[in-house]
Amino acid sequence: GAVVSQHPSRVICKSGTSVKIECRSLDFQATTMFWYRQFPKQSLMLMATSNEGSKATYEQGVEKDKFLINHASLTLSTLTVTSAHPEDSSFYICSARPIRDSTKETQYFGPGTRLLVL
Amino acid sequence: SQQGEEDPQALSIQEGENATMNCSYKTSINNLQWYRQNSGRGLVHLILIRSNEREKHSGRLRVTLDTSKKSSSLLITASRAADTASYFCATDAGGNEKLTFGTGTRLTIIP
């Protein structure tokens, strides 16, 4: 159990377009999901914390108007990269924290989405 | 930046040898976790050690935690080619539920 999926797994788009990435918890419910960005050969940097039914909390330096996050249900969060530019090309990874985890220690990670903006 | 650091950045060893990776962090923590990432893939959770624990084992993995030095180590014994991956430590400071990842160690096991 505890599987998190992301769709699409990779996407290529033209500069100026918007791209939506979905993160789903397949066999558990998650009130909290996290979005990370990872540049090649670098670590994961937290972008935002997504809470079901409320606004996302963005990390310092992350533009909330550029990276729109919607957490409409207990199993789905979406990240939309608006007006994407080549510098937004990166590996985007989500994680989800199960409601049943009372210790709040566990995050299950998705397989990631590779975004290439031309 | 609150990001932790790991050393070495890269490590190549012969199959069968032991691999040790170190992680240092900056703030007080609730727990520290180790993850593995194969190239271009998501993260796999390996082991979690809480701040009141000093050592933990899971199969061929051994993790130590020294909160006075704000450091942790991951030992992989009897390495296999399939262990080739990047390894990241991540700290949970508690309260805000966020994980802060270290810079990672790229481990290559030579068959």
Side-chain angles (χ1 to χ4, degrees):
Chain A
V3 177
V4 176
S5 70
Q6 283 185 239
H7 177 79
S9 58
R10 57 179 60 203
V11 56
I12 301 173
C13 69
K14 293 182 179 180
S15 186
T17 61
S18 294
V19 175
K20 180 185 283 188
I21 302 170
E22 292 185 349
C23 176
R24 292 182 185 272
S25 55
L26 298 184
D27 49 4
F28 64 95
Q29 293 182 324
T31 51
T32 303
M33 292 184 174
F34 302 89
W35 286 97
Y36 298 85
R37 182 168 51 186
Q38 184 181 31
F39 292 107
K41 296 186 178 180
Q42 294 189 24
S43 187
L44 280 75
M45 298 299 293
L46 180 65
M47 299 175 66
T49 302
S50 168
N51 294 297
E52 187 267 337
S54 64
K55 292 184 178 180
T57 303
Y58 290 81
E59 294 300 300
Q60 192 173 10
V62 178
E63 299 175 59
K64 61 180 66 177
D65 293 332
K66 180 167 185 62
F67 298 100
L68 300 178
I69 291 173
N70 186 298
H71 193 155
S73 77
L74 292 173
T75 59
L76 173 65
S77 176
T78 61
L79 168 68
T80 301
V81 183
T82 62
S83 187
H85 291 283
E87 58 265 30
D88 298 324
S89 298
S90 188
F91 194 53
Y92 292 87
I93 304 176
C94 72
S95 69
R97 173 160 283 146
I99 290 177
R100 63 175 183 263
D101 177 20
S102 59
T103 66
K104 297 184 178 181
E105 292 176 333
T106 307
Q107 289 186 30
Y108 296 101
F109 284 80
T113 296
R114 188 162 301 284
L115 171 63
L116 177 61
V117 185
L118 302 178
Chain B
S1 168
Q2 297 300 308
Q3 189 176 53
E5 293 186 1
E6 292 181 57
D7 79 272
Q9 288 188 347
L11 177 64
S12 292
I13 60 173
Q14 293 289 335
E15 191 169 20
E17 294 181 340
N18 297 340
T20 300
M21 290 158 272
N22 302 294
C23 166
S24 61
Y25 56 92
K26 299 178 181 178
T27 65
S28 297
I29 62 171
N30 194 42
N31 66 67
L32 185 145
Q33 305 177 33
W34 284 90
Y35 289 85
R36 183 184 72 219
Q37 183 182 35
N38 290 85
S39 181
R41 302 287 189 89
L43 273 71
V44 174
H45 182 264
L46 295 176
I47 196 166
L48 179 152
I49 186 166
R50 295 188 175 88
S51 60
N52 61 352
E53 298 175 312
R54 291 297 167 259
E55 187 171 312
K56 208 162 184 179
H57 297 255
S58 177
R60 293 184 295 114
L61 305 180
R62 173 177 167 255
V63 168
T64 62
L65 179 65
D66 186 335
T67 53
S68 66
K69 295 181 179 178
K70 291 187 169 59
S71 67
S72 174
S73 67
L74 171 67
L75 168 68
I76 303 175
T77 60
S79 63
R80 305 168 181 169
D83 295 329
T84 294
S86 290
Y87 291 81
F88 295 93
C89 66
T91 54
D92 179 350
N96 55 20
E97 306 177 26
K98 299 190 295 187
L99 288 179
T100 301
F101 282 82
T103 50
T105 294
R106 291 191 303 280
L107 175 66
T108 302
I109 307 300
I110 303 167

